[in-house]
Amino acid sequence: MDMELGGRGDLFRCCKAAVTISQLVYPSSFQLTDKEKSSICYLSFPDSHSGCLGDTQFSFRMRQCGGQRSPWHADDGHYNSRAPVALQREPAHYFGYVYFRQVKDSSMKRGYFQKSLVLVSRLPFVRLFQALLSLIAPEYFDKLTPCLEAVCNEIDQWPAPLPGQILNLPVMGVVIQARIPSRVDKPEPSPLKQSSQESLLPAPVVLASVHELDLFRCFRPVLTHVQMLWELMLLGEPLVVWAPSPDVSSELVLALTSCLQPLQFCCDFRPYFTIHDSEFKEFTTRTQAPPNVVLGVTNPFFIKTLQHWPHVLRVGEPKMSGDLPKQVKLKKPSRLKTLDTKPGLYTAYTAHLHRDKALLKRLLKGVQKKRPSEVQSALLRRHLLELTQSFIIPLEHYMASLMPLQKSITPWKTPPQIRPFSQDDFLRSLEHAGPQLTCILKGDWLGLYRRFFKSPHFDGWYRQRHKEMAQKLEALHLEAISEANIETWMKDKSEVEVVDLVLKLREKLVRAQGHRLPVKEVTLQRAQLYIETVIGSLPKDLQAVLCPP
């Protein structure tokens, strides 16, 4: 069994591991624990129940042993500050992108040739890395190590991932051209514009997206329940996706976790999970409530061990015909059986919002007219985006109202505090500023918000917004100080007060210069000048303490 774990350099890391006595790693500086190697080995091969013949691509996500370790990249903070939250580097998990081949071969002991090429990265670029593997894997299966070494040397020269920029990534005589989205992009998906480097030969392989899946294809068997599934994702509910193969399970899990954008998905998710995973006992224990995880599985054994989970989505083999496949039905969890379980969404959950029948009609009409899948996906993605935005906008508006007024921020006093979030006050505000202003869907929006307050996504959203507001408050305070008359303030102040101001100003400058405060450069320059002015007014002995040689 051979595996490739990502490429080196700035875009991702890679290593090659064989399940033999010896191990070879690309790059040699990248270290995996024995437990991580074992997990990758199990996750890189489909279960025996899947029966995957030919070439199959799928993905997985696994926890780093020992939690967050030192970053691979010195520019993690630089990249994450510019990338959308959904595309930031994972601090404590690895993504694995797998290209698996299984073909009949009478010369092999088992009668089959079976190999997996695995790329491991902390970046969630599923489309980019699958495209890369589709170029590398067929060649690697024929030529093995020499091909792999050449590819890794090419990848080593790739530029750093820069949000908002078009990247040209040469590999094996082909140039992959892709753009990493920036957090300042408009939420609507936009096609990739051709690079100004028209001289690229051969013509580049242009990727429309580094991460977006064909949402319509992923959701084809569950279109009638997309809104209910969106609610389950919004509330961080535990969900098992039981699919016939790892490619179906991983794509459906990734599609589900992407349907909350631009809201950050704050729960755990495993696109493909096996009984050999180190967290198997943690996820299957009945001594406590199921964790907030979306779990993609293919082994029927999970249906027995996870019967206590509140929501199980069972999907069948994907149908490639042009017609819309038979939609899975809502079923009671009590009807969940071990081996003969039919496709369905097994849950006792009742949706808070009414189903959008107009969307279903548009998608069905698209199927009848043989509308391209990417167009259908764009319709579906726009619907989910607008639904999430309609839900989040009232929260954003209420949160903004908790910010102190700018006129209350004075230079020589501690800035006022952000007012606490009151769930009752927010719910009362919905009557005149609720989602009904931007969304035509009817239903129990109040009940949905009440359940959302108990979810990991509310906690994650609130913490992030509160952090951003606190930084903005501190930036406004620094601006107020830089615009004040420092000499007038110093006239009646003691040396202790003056020294205290110097220390606090320096602390603010350190945070601001570390890109943690949204402050203009002119403000930083004024603050530095103030520090020098204040220190110059102090006795020589204090100046020596504050500015040692």
Side-chain angles (χ1 to χ4, degrees), residues 398 421-428 450 453-454 458:
Y398 175 75
F421 189 105
S422 168
Q423 295 181 14
D424 291 337
D425 286 350
F426 167 74
L427 293 173
R428 280 192 289 271
R450 286 192 180 99
F453 289 143
K454 302 173 184 175
F458 172 71

Side-chain angles (χ1 to χ4, degrees), residues 254-445:
L254 291 176
L256 286 167
T257 58
S258 73
C259 69
L260 295 186
Q261 293 181 12
L263 187 67
Q264 183 176 11
F265 192 83
C266 296
C267 298
D268 199 355
F269 62 98
R270 304 303 170 91
Y272 176 53
F273 190 78
T274 75
I275 59 174
H276 304 287
D277 198 284
S278 58
E279 289 128 299
F280 176 76
K281 289 183 179 179
E282 177 186 333
F283 289 167
T284 57
T285 180
R286 292 173 182 258
T287 59
Q288 57 191 34
N292 303 101
V293 182
V294 184
L295 215 56
V297 303
T298 60
N299 192 332
F301 177 73
F302 277 106
I303 301 306
K304 182 178 180 180
T305 56
L306 299 176
Q307 278 187 337
H308 61 296
W309 278 45
H311 320 287
V312 176
L313 175 59
R314 169 74 163 117
V315 293
E317 291 285 352
K319 295 183 179 179
M320 305 310 292
S321 64
D323 297 331
L324 196 66
K326 185 178 180 181
Q327 297 293 287
V328 303
K329 295 181 179 179
L330 278 180
K331 299 184 179 183
K332 295 179 180 178
S334 58
R335 296 183 61 188
L336 199 60
K337 298 178 182 178
T338 306
L339 293 175
D340 58 347
T341 299
K342 294 181 179 179
L345 178 53
Y346 295 82
T347 179
Y349 180 82
T350 302
H352 289 79
L353 305 182
H354 300 167
R355 186 181 297 172
D356 189 339
K357 295 180 180 178
L359 171 72
L360 293 173
K361 285 181 181 178
R362 288 180 71 188
L363 292 172
L364 185 57
K365 191 174 182 180
V367 172
Q368 293 167 347
K369 290 188 172 184
K370 301 189 184 304
R371 186 185 292 151
S373 186
E374 58 266 24
V375 178
Q376 297 278 74
S377 289
L379 282 173
L380 196 51
R381 186 170 284 110
R382 170 62 68 89
H383 170 76
L384 293 169
L385 173 66
E386 291 177 350
L387 188 57
T388 304
Q389 286 178 326
S390 293
F391 184 84
I392 291 297
I393 284 172
L395 285 161
E396 297 280 4
H397 285 169
Y398 175 75
M399 193 71 185
S401 73
L402 304 179
M403 183 78 166
L405 296 175
Q406 188 165 350
K407 65 181 181 181
S408 66
I409 302 170
T410 56
W412 315 121
K413 291 183 180 179
T414 302
Q417 296 293 304
I418 299 166
R419 294 194 300 280
F421 189 105
S422 168
Q423 295 181 14
D424 291 337
D425 286 350
F426 167 74
L427 293 173
R428 280 192 289 271
S429 74
L430 294 179
E431 186 176 348
H432 56 84
Q436 72 275 6
L437 297 179
T438 54
C439 185
I440 61 172
L441 291 182
K442 306 294 183 182
D444 183 14
W445 287 96

